[in-house]
Amino acid sequence: MTEREVIVEADGGSRGNPGPAGYGAVVFSADHVRILAERREYVGITTNNVAEYRGLIAGLEAAAELGARVVSVRMDSKLVVEQMSGRWKVKHASMIPLADRARRLVAGFDRVTFTWIPRAQNSHADRLANEAMDDATLIGEVHAAERQLLDAGSAAATLAEEVREAEEQLLGWTDEQTAARGVEEQLPSWIDEVRASNIQAAERDTPTAAESSPAWTGATGRPTRLLLLRHGQTALSIERRYSGRGNPALTALGREQAARAAKMLAAKGGIAAVVTSPLGRARETAEAAATALGIPVRVLDGLTETDFGDWEGLTFQEAAQRDPQLHARWLGDPSTPAPNGESFDQVRERVEAARRDLLALYPGQNVVVVSHVTPIKTLLQLALGVGPELLYRLHLDLASLSIAEFYPDGGSSVRLVNDTSYL
């Protein structure tokens, strides 16, 4: 349901300033009676003002997803209201990109007004921000576990290797079997086999009652369904090394994984597009799917992997030994970039932009999105509406499939995570 005029109330806070920070945003109907959308997120260690801007951005994005054209923004941050109204300059370096991002969002509406309100009148957004800051406890638990692993040194590394080997044995993966599966196979026949089923799927592409009826979350309308496919194996993934903007090719096993994933997707049918990261390992995986589906590949730069900077090609332990304090902080603070690389906050900004593009290009359709660990985790995080702790707790296998849905009323859900049953 499209709402032409909405009210956005947003807030952000930091316990320590800088300290554990979070934001909250709520979108109301124009009469301030119905709640149309809520957003909250823990954003790591930062200041009140940064968290307030993040809340504003989240609220404007939610309003845009609802199809609003006229927005009344109400906040108890005098700084943000005055800066966004153009009466005060944005001087702090950390807020300049956030203010620019907010202005770009404002430009997408017909009219946006900014009004300062007392904190007592912003209680809903304030509550959401405090709930987000409460998530810092979970992040602290992750940090404690990571520090224990780092302190354990080589003994922990040895134990991890023994556990990995045991897992491979339990899963039936011996060195000989791995080598055998890595041999390239000729798999031309399945492409022709599934094309007939694709035609039948296209004929039944009319939304069913189940697809258009309200989900248990309360979201309504037919969602844009993103089938999130991680690329296949590369040499760096075999050695468990940071692989960001480097461009390793798929291994023989990686190409087979891409072929198996493509066969599974083609059998599903009803897929409107294949969109991919510009990096070679993702494009090669996407090309296999597109060939099976008989549709072209579209490249979206925002889906590229994190730039790991100076850690590119290093193992987890090598990066931790090279920059112990920075690495430990980077593991829990999404605003901390890798040396000469990106932060997870920066990745999220471009992934959010990519998601908006996908929803605008393919409303109510099924889209295969071929990408990497961090962008896929970020899209799942956005769909679940949870904080950055998901980035550190969720495991995604090579060539695995996850499914996130984004509804026209701003709702979202996750249907599937890390499926590898077709491999």
Side-chain angles (χ1 to χ4, degrees):
M1 179 177 177
T2 300
E3 296 280 339
R4 187 177 185 280
E5 296 187 24
V6 299
I7 296 170
V8 170
E9 293 179 357
D11 197 11
S14 173
R15 294 171 181 169
N17 199 30
Y23 68 73
V26 56
V27 183
F28 290 98
S29 57
D31 57 7
H32 205 267
V33 173
R34 291 177 294 122
I35 296 173
L36 306 177
E38 290 181 334
R39 300 287 187 271
R40 70 174 179 88
E41 184 183 350
Y42 171 68
V43 295
I45 306 299
T46 190
T47 64
N48 282 326
N49 293 334
V50 168
E52 288 166 344
Y53 261 108
R54 291 289 300 272
L56 168 62
I57 290 167
L60 290 172
E61 288 176 341
E65 291 170 4
L66 290 167
R69 304 307 308 155
V70 178
V71 181
S72 173
V73 176
R74 311 194 327 169
M75 300 180 67
D76 60 48
S77 170
K78 186 75 169 176
L79 178 79
V80 174
V81 167
E82 293 297 317
Q83 288 179 341
M84 291 304 298
S85 299
R87 292 185 288 269
W88 292 1
K89 291 184 178 180
V90 183
K91 297 180 179 179
H92 199 283
S94 65
M95 288 191 291
I96 291 174
L98 294 173
D100 287 343
R101 184 176 169 196
R103 290 192 185 101
R104 289 196 298 271
L105 288 167
V106 167
F109 299 98
D110 294 340
R111 186 173 75 254
V112 179
T113 59
F114 292 89
T115 304
W116 177 85
I117 58 175
R119 184 176 181 181
Q121 295 180 24
N122 202 26
S123 58
H124 194 124
D126 178 72
R127 174 177 59 79
L128 292 172
N130 276 285
E131 289 175 357
M133 284 183 278
D134 291 341
D135 290 342
T137 302
L138 298 176
I139 299 297
E141 294 172 359
V142 175
H143 283 180
E146 287 161 350
R147 284 192 293 270
Q148 290 174 0
L149 288 173
L150 290 174
D151 292 342
S154 59
T158 301
L159 177 60
E161 180 64 18
E162 292 173 353
V163 170
R164 184 182 68 82
E165 292 175 356
E167 288 173 343
E168 290 174 349
Q169 291 170 0
L170 287 170
L171 291 170
W173 282 90
T174 64
D175 290 342
E176 292 78 9
Q177 288 170 318
T178 301
R181 286 206 63 182
V183 177
E184 287 191 73
E185 300 177 12
Q186 299 296 323
L187 299 171
S189 59
W190 58 264
I191 295 177
D192 295 327
E193 291 171 4
V194 299
R195 279 187 173 146
S197 65
N198 280 353
I199 295 172
Q200 295 173 357
E203 291 173 349
R204 62 173 185 267
D205 198 32
T206 304
T208 65
E211 287 175 318
S212 58
S213 63
W216 68 270
T217 59
T220 58
R222 189 178 187 188
T224 299
R225 180 174 297 165
L226 303 183
L227 291 85
L228 307 172
L229 180 65
R230 188 185 173 195
H231 62 78
Q233 185 194 73
T234 71
L236 289 183
S237 57
I238 293 174
E239 299 175 3
R240 302 188 180 189
R241 295 182 179 275
Y242 284 118
S243 181
R245 300 299 176 83
N247 217 10
L250 295 182
T251 62
L253 176 58
R255 289 190 290 275
E256 183 184 344
Q257 290 170 334
R260 290 175 180 269
K263 183 175 182 179
M264 173 272 298
L265 291 168
K268 283 181 177 293
I271 293 173
V274 175
V275 183
T276 181
S277 152
L279 295 177
R281 57 192 184 273
R283 293 187 70 157
E284 192 173 353
T285 304
E287 288 289 353
T291 300
L293 291 162
I295 55 179
V297 172
R298 184 174 196 143
V299 176
L300 206 56
D301 289 342
L303 296 171
T304 194
E305 178 60 294
T306 306
D307 185 350
F308 294 114
D310 296 343
W311 294 336
E312 180 76 19
L314 301 183
T315 65
F316 181 96
Q317 189 173 9
E318 288 169 345
Q321 290 173 345
R322 180 186 185 277
D323 303 293
Q325 293 182 341
L326 175 61
H327 193 258
R329 188 165 69 252
W330 176 80
L331 284 170
D333 180 2
S335 67
T336 298
N340 296 312
E342 276 185 306
S343 70
F344 288 139
D345 277 350
Q346 291 171 311
V347 175
R348 176 180 170 125
E349 287 188 18
R350 56 178 171 79
V351 170
E352 282 185 314
R355 180 192 63 164
R356 290 194 297 273
D357 289 342
L358 290 169
L359 299 188
L361 288 167
Y362 308 108
Q365 299 183 76
N366 300 327
V367 183
V368 174
V369 178
V370 183
S371 189
H372 312 266
V373 168
T374 312
I376 292 175
K377 286 184 179 181
T378 301
L379 287 165
L380 293 172
Q381 178 192 359
L382 293 170
L384 291 169
V386 298
E389 63 270 13
L390 179 141
L391 299 174
Y392 312 108
R393 296 187 176 196
L394 179 63
H395 173 78
L396 295 176
D397 286 301
L398 292 161
S400 64
L401 180 71
S402 302
I403 299 177
E405 295 180 332
F406 296 93
Y407 288 79
D409 65 355
S412 58
S413 63
V414 171
R415 279 185 172 265
L416 183 70
V417 176
N418 200 41
D419 178 29
T420 58
S421 60
Y422 46 86
L423 297 178

